[in-house]
Amino acid sequence: MVKLTALAGCLFASLIGQSASHFLLLYPPGVGFDDSIEGTAPCGGFTVDFSKDNVTDFHVGGDVLALKSIHPQATWLFRATLDQTASGNWTNLLPAIQQTGLNNFCEPNLQVPVSFAGSKGVLGIVQDAPDGILYQCAAVNFVAGAATVTQSVCSNETGTTASFVADPSLSNLPSAASSTASSTSGTSTSSSTSSSTAKPSSANAVYGYTGLGMLAWFTVIGSATFLACLL
Ligand SMILES: *[C@@H]1O[C@H](CO)[C@@H](O)[C@H](O)[C@H]1NC(C)=O
Ligand SMILES: *[C@@H]1O[C@H](CO)[C@@H](O)[C@H](O)[C@H]1NC(C)=O
Ligand SMILES: *[C@@H]1O[C@H](CO)[C@@H](O)[C@H](O)[C@H]1NC(C)=O
Ligand SMILES: [Cu+2]
């Protein structure tokens, strides 16, 4: 596993050169991106500043979250907070989602608790990647209703698949700076804010597990790294 990870890193470092990135937040616009500090919680090394950031209306009844992953396989956590400093009080919007396949991944109908409507807040995207836990944030204005404008940036790379998974690294992320969440009582318990999800049961139907897709990717990675890392 470690070897595979190292080989995959070798492949992608060589494919994309020095400008290697972990993942990009395509929509809504983020508060800042710097590849080298993307691993800095909670916003990839940037602070949220509503007076300067590109603040996007985000519909609580469902709106677009578009991402580009530069890891062949990684697991996403989507969360939101009304804490405008993004320092805590996170609510997980969906269970952890494992993406298999590179590049674009878009959730066209990401829902936020209805009670958030009318408040400013932060959308947090966390990626559990082979090279660490990575972060991006978007400053948003939560509004009622569902998005009606289609974002052309919202697409899935052909062949990309996604499924809900258990991810201890993500489920144990601290959700609140000021709450009792840090008192560790086991891996499965987190604070009530972090473990609450917007709509887990109906969302489950959307994602299917495709074992063959994963197998195919490992085959592709295996062959390509063989070439990339031997040269
Ligand atoms: C804000 O984000 C939108 C959507 O990505 C973009 O079109 C616009 O140029 C951005 N504005 C600024 C000031 O960055
Ligand atoms: C924390 O989030 C809840 C909603 O999930 C909100 O009602 C509360 O005001 C928030 N607290 C802070 C300090 O932002
Ligand atoms: C991308 O794939 C996910 C998981 O299968 C799916 O929920 C989502 O609707 C897809 N996005 C688009 C734009 O089709
Ligand atoms: Cu990376």
Side-chain angles (χ1 to χ4, degrees), residues 16 18 73 76 87 92-93 101 104 120 130 140 143 162 204 222 226:
I16 52 191
Q18 306 109 321
Q73 186 173 76
W76 301 104
S87 57
N92 291 353
L93 303 177
N104 290 10
K120 287 183 165 48
V140 297
V143 296
N204 250 319
F226 180 73

Side-chain angles (χ1 to χ4, degrees), residues 181-231:
S182 52
S183 63
T184 53
S185 56
T187 53
S188 62
T189 56
S190 189
S191 82
S192 56
T193 47
S194 108
S195 58
S196 64
T197 53
K199 42 169 303 215
S201 54
S202 61
N204 250 319
V206 178
Y207 295 92
Y209 175 77
T210 55
L212 278 178
M214 194 185 301
L215 186 64
W217 265 107
F218 280 129
T219 310
V220 170
I221 294 161
S223 335
T225 46
F226 180 73
L227 295 172
C229 296
L230 282 186
L231 294 177

Side-chain angles (χ1 to χ4, degrees), residues 27-30 50 53-59 63-64 119-121 123 138-143 151:
Y27 187 91
F50 278 84
D53 293 330
N54 197 337
V55 182
T56 314
D57 279 354
F58 197 87
H59 296 79
D63 213 324
V64 171
S119 303
K120 287 183 165 48
L123 208 57
V140 297
N141 185 26
F142 291 111
V143 296
Q151 303 290 340

Side-chain angles (χ1 to χ4, degrees), residues 114-128:
V114 170
S115 60
F116 282 29
S119 303
K120 287 183 165 48
V122 179
L123 208 57
I125 296 90
V126 188
Q127 188 186 58
D128 183 1

Side-chain angles (χ1 to χ4, degrees), residues 27-221:
Y27 187 91
V31 300
F33 170 78
D34 180 339
D35 186 64
S36 62
I37 52 174
E38 198 171 18
T40 307
C43 292
F46 289 81
T47 52
V48 181
D49 181 347
F50 278 84
S51 68
K52 292 193 201 128
D53 293 330
N54 197 337
V55 182
T56 314
D57 279 354
F58 197 87
H59 296 79
V60 297
D63 213 324
V64 171
L65 176 62
L67 302 155
K68 182 190 280 287
S69 178
I70 316 296
H71 295 114
Q73 186 173 76
T75 303
W76 301 104
L77 180 67
F78 308 140
R79 53 188 191 164
T81 181
L82 296 180
D83 176 347
Q84 294 182 23
T85 67
S87 57
N89 205 20
W90 294 102
T91 296
N92 291 353
L93 303 177
L94 285 174
I97 298 169
Q98 185 175 75
Q99 175 185 356
T100 301
L102 281 171
N103 291 333
N104 290 10
F105 180 68
C106 180
E107 175 55 68
N109 189 31
L110 184 66
Q111 301 190 8
V112 173
V114 170
S115 60
F116 282 29
S119 303
K120 287 183 165 48
V122 179
L123 208 57
I125 296 90
V126 188
Q127 188 186 58
D128 183 1
D131 49 8
I133 308 279
L134 307 160
Y135 303 85
Q136 289 282 281
C137 291
V140 297
N141 185 26
F142 291 111
V143 296
T148 50
V149 178
T150 5
Q151 303 290 340
S152 57
V153 74
C154 185
S155 70
N156 280 345
E157 180 79 15
T158 306
T160 289
T161 63
S163 58
F164 289 124
V165 292
D167 188 313
S169 302
L170 293 177
S171 48
N172 289 323
L173 281 181
S175 77
S178 56
S179 82
T180 54
S182 52
S183 63
T184 53
S185 56
T187 53
S188 62
T189 56
S190 189
S191 82
S192 56
T193 47
S194 108
S195 58
S196 64
T197 53
K199 42 169 303 215
S201 54
S202 61
N204 250 319
V206 178
Y207 295 92
Y209 175 77
T210 55
L212 278 178
M214 194 185 301
L215 186 64
W217 265 107
F218 280 129
T219 310
V220 170
I221 294 161

